[in-house]
Amino acid sequence: MMSREKQARVDYHVSPATGALQGRVRVPGDKSISHRAVILASLAEGTSVCDGFLDSADTRATMVAFRQMGVDMTLEGECLSVNGVGLNGLSAPSGILDLGNSGTSARLLLGVLAGQRFSSILSGDESLTRRPMRRVADPLNVMNADVRTTPEGTLPAQITGNRRLRGIDYELPVASAQLKSALLLAGLYAQGKTVLTEPAPTRDHTERMLAHFGCPVTRSGMRITMQGNSLRTGRLRIPGDISSAAFFLAAGSIVPGSDLVIEGVGINPTRHAVIEILNRMGADISVSNLDEGSAEPVADLRLKYRPLHGIRIPRELVPIAIDEFPAIMAAACHARGETILEGAAELRVKESDRIQALAEGLEIIGCPVETRPDGMRITGGRPEGGVVRSHGDHRIAMAFSVAGLAAEGPVTVQDCENVDTSFPGFIDCARQLGWEIQTSATENTEDSLPSVAEKQWPDPRL
Ligand code: S3P
């Protein structure tokens, strides 16, 4: 049985804003890109350097996993330096690879581990061990990998090494960048081509970074083709995370008079739909200082307050704004009229069931909500405030901190420790714009959850 530690619970308290949000901020580096930087730099031969790296609980999980497999790396401030060992240079980890709360680490690692000569076991925390992994394990096994999940299709997963992987021609059943990336990473180890067809475009950071590290990936419509060989070292500049910036865009959109700039944000076209959605709702977000000189486009985002109205969110924008719906819905509860979100069933299998977590909190603060299996309809207005749960989900915690800014009364969000998984320094960044978030810590009286869920472990000798 895993040891249980007492953990303090951190709650956020947000009062209605007394003035406009104003100023300039930078948000930390992009989480998705930072994970990929650790992975590809580890698999390249030689030293790669990445500036703007996000030092967060999730990216640390990826770093720790590669260190366990013998990769030497140092992080000084935001500069990550990795001594890559080459595609076949990883060594067997001495124990289970624990990816904590990080779905991206787990799914991408499954793809890498499927191609190794050694066997491994991969697990995570209470939330991660509830998330679906069969979507990754099944196609990897079609590539001749041997990846076994629990009977429920969840972690822990056991990956048997020394398999000869074959490329596949595969239609992804869900629009998932993590699934696509796992298969592309396994494709590095496969004989022949790996050809993937996406049902809708999803973030393309893996494709861009593979090309940057010398392994070209071609795209024709929805079809992506790559063939594994070797990776050369790279120098990367990781832009600010638009998923973190989204909370400031949403916050400024609901506080009258706000005028703020977020500098150096990644605006990859497969990620930037939050800008279009908020602008369609009436916000005024403009893009300046665009720099397309490196692997990922970067720009400054300026938001000027204009009153919001509800919209039906276009379905084609859903996969490219998937992580921003907590922020968007927090803004929508202050918009005039109804906002309708459909085609977003994937939100149910994120760090929490985000449709249910949002609906629960929105109802509590006084915003009428109707949920559906793949979305929700909310009626905006002026919510009253109240005490809501984050469900241990970083983006739900930050979303309700946004919602509190324009409510009638204060909003308390419980269990916000996990904000550090994507946005360390969130409260300080918010304060720079005049957004005050108070915190309180309570000693948990119940036994805290262990970091790795207690499940039936596969045989660790395998
Ligand atoms: C991510 C892809 C998205 C997103 C997640 C990060 C990635 O998930 O929600 O936070 O880095 O590839 P999907 O795989 O479901 O697209």
Side-chain angles (χ1 to χ4, degrees):
M1 188 186 265
M2 306 301 296
S3 67
R4 285 165 179 263
E5 297 161 4
K6 291 236 185 317
Q7 264 181 355
R9 194 188 83 192
V10 178
D11 295 347
Y12 285 0
H13 309 276
V14 180
S15 296
T18 49
L21 304 189
Q22 279 169 335
R24 302 176 79 86
V25 278
R26 274 189 173 268
V27 290
D30 188 279
K31 180 154 78 77
S32 291
I33 301 174
S34 295
H35 283 299
R36 287 157 172 83
V38 175
I39 297 172
L40 293 191
S42 296
L43 299 180
E45 232 159 287
T47 305
S48 296
V49 178
C50 317
D51 295 310
F53 185 82
L54 169 71
D55 181 10
S56 74
D58 272 16
T59 51
R60 278 188 178 250
T62 302
M63 288 171 65
V64 168
F66 278 91
R67 282 189 175 131
Q68 275 180 269
M69 294 188 283
V71 181
D72 190 24
M73 61 186 94
T74 51
L75 179 59
E76 280 174 32
E78 292 183 348
C79 182
L80 177 74
S81 189
V82 181
N83 291 328
V85 293
L87 281 183
N88 295 308
L90 297 176
S91 46
S94 52
I96 288 164
L97 297 167
D98 175 5
L99 281 325
N101 195 245
S102 177
T104 306
S105 315
R107 298 212 175 96
L108 272 54
L109 258 279
L110 283 176
V112 173
L113 294 170
Q116 301 307 315
R117 282 189 285 244
F118 52 83
S119 299
S120 49
I121 295 173
L122 201 153
S123 196
D125 73 3
E126 212 269 333
S127 151
L128 185 55
T129 52
R130 272 189 273 118
R131 298 179 66 184
M133 295 294 153
R134 200 173 276 143
R135 55 174 66 182
V136 183
D138 284 352
L140 286 175
N141 290 340
V142 176
M143 295 174 82
N144 197 40
D146 183 358
V147 178
R148 293 177 203 189
T149 63
T150 65
E152 296 77 40
T154 53
L155 298 182
Q158 179 180 296
I159 304 104
T160 304
N162 241 342
R163 311 278 300 181
R164 278 180 155 269
L165 301 192
R166 300 185 286 266
I168 40 166
D169 188 335
Y170 185 69
E171 265 185 47
L172 276 63
V174 276
S176 162
Q178 292 174 350
L179 166 56
K180 171 178 67 177
S181 302
L183 301 180
L184 290 173
L185 291 168
L188 285 171
Y189 294 90
Q191 297 246 300
K193 287 184 179 158
T194 296
V195 183
L196 307 175
T197 306
E198 293 193 276
T202 61
R203 63 192 69 191
D204 65 358
H205 306 306
T206 305
E207 296 92 305
R208 285 173 185 252
M209 207 183 285
L210 278 169
H212 190 79
F213 279 83
C215 174
V217 181
T218 56
R219 179 164 199 126
S220 162
M222 292 296 177
R223 268 169 94 74
I224 302 159
T225 306
M226 63 90 70
Q227 179 146 18
N229 39 33
S230 59
L231 298 176
R232 57 162 192 253
T233 57
R235 173 144 207 143
L236 289 171
R237 165 95 224 149
I238 299 175
D241 197 328
I242 193 164
S243 300
S244 299
F247 294 102
F248 298 130
L249 298 177
S253 297
I254 59 172
V255 179
S258 295
D259 185 354
L260 54 95
V261 176
I262 312 160
E263 296 171 341
V265 181
I267 55 154
N268 178 317
T270 59
R271 288 286 296 284
H272 69 12
V274 60
I275 299 173
E276 182 169 348
I277 294 171
L278 287 174
N279 279 347
R280 283 186 187 217
M281 293 174 74
D284 177 4
I285 302 169
S286 54
V287 175
S288 64
N289 292 332
L290 176 63
D291 176 358
E292 294 188 280
S294 43
E296 296 278 348
V298 187
D300 295 343
L301 303 181
R302 178 173 187 183
L303 173 118
K304 286 193 270 177
Y305 172 83
R306 268 195 328 221
L308 298 184
H309 54 82
I311 59 165
R312 182 183 284 269
I313 295 167
R315 275 177 180 260
E316 68 277 10
L317 297 183
V318 169
I320 54 176
I322 196 71
D323 288 344
E324 288 67 73
F325 286 111
I328 293 168
M329 288 306 175
C333 80
H334 297 282
R336 183 172 38 82
E338 278 185 351
T339 296
I340 300 167
L341 170 64
E342 298 157 318
E346 279 296 295
L347 288 179
R348 295 213 178 259
V349 289
K350 296 295 175 192
E351 286 82 331
S352 67
D353 173 345
R354 287 188 174 155
I355 292 177
Q356 194 264 327
L358 282 168
E360 175 192 292
L362 289 169
E363 290 276 6
I364 288 172
I365 63 172
C367 169
V369 186
E370 211 182 278
T371 61
R372 301 169 181 175
D374 72 337
M376 62 205 297
R377 174 197 292 259
I378 75 175
T379 309
R382 177 123 172 130
E384 289 147 26
V387 180
V388 302
R389 295 193 295 163
S390 75
H391 293 260
D393 183 332
H394 53 134
R395 298 202 206 282
I396 298 296
M398 290 185 275
F400 282 105
S401 309
V402 171
L405 274 174
E408 292 285 353
V411 167
T412 289
V413 195
Q414 294 178 328
D415 272 322
C416 298
E417 313 80 72
N418 271 351
V419 165
D420 278 358
T421 62
S422 66
F423 198 160
F426 166 60
I427 291 180
D428 292 337
C429 236
R431 186 166 298 134
Q432 285 176 46
L433 298 171
W435 173 6
E436 288 297 329
I437 302 172
Q438 308 298 330
T439 61
S440 62
T442 338
E443 192 75 5
N444 259 350
T445 43
E446 302 159 10
D447 279 348
S448 304
L449 291 168
S451 87
V452 176
E454 289 168 48
K455 288 206 172 188
Q456 279 307 110
W457 295 105
D459 185 342
R461 288 163 305 183
L462 285 171

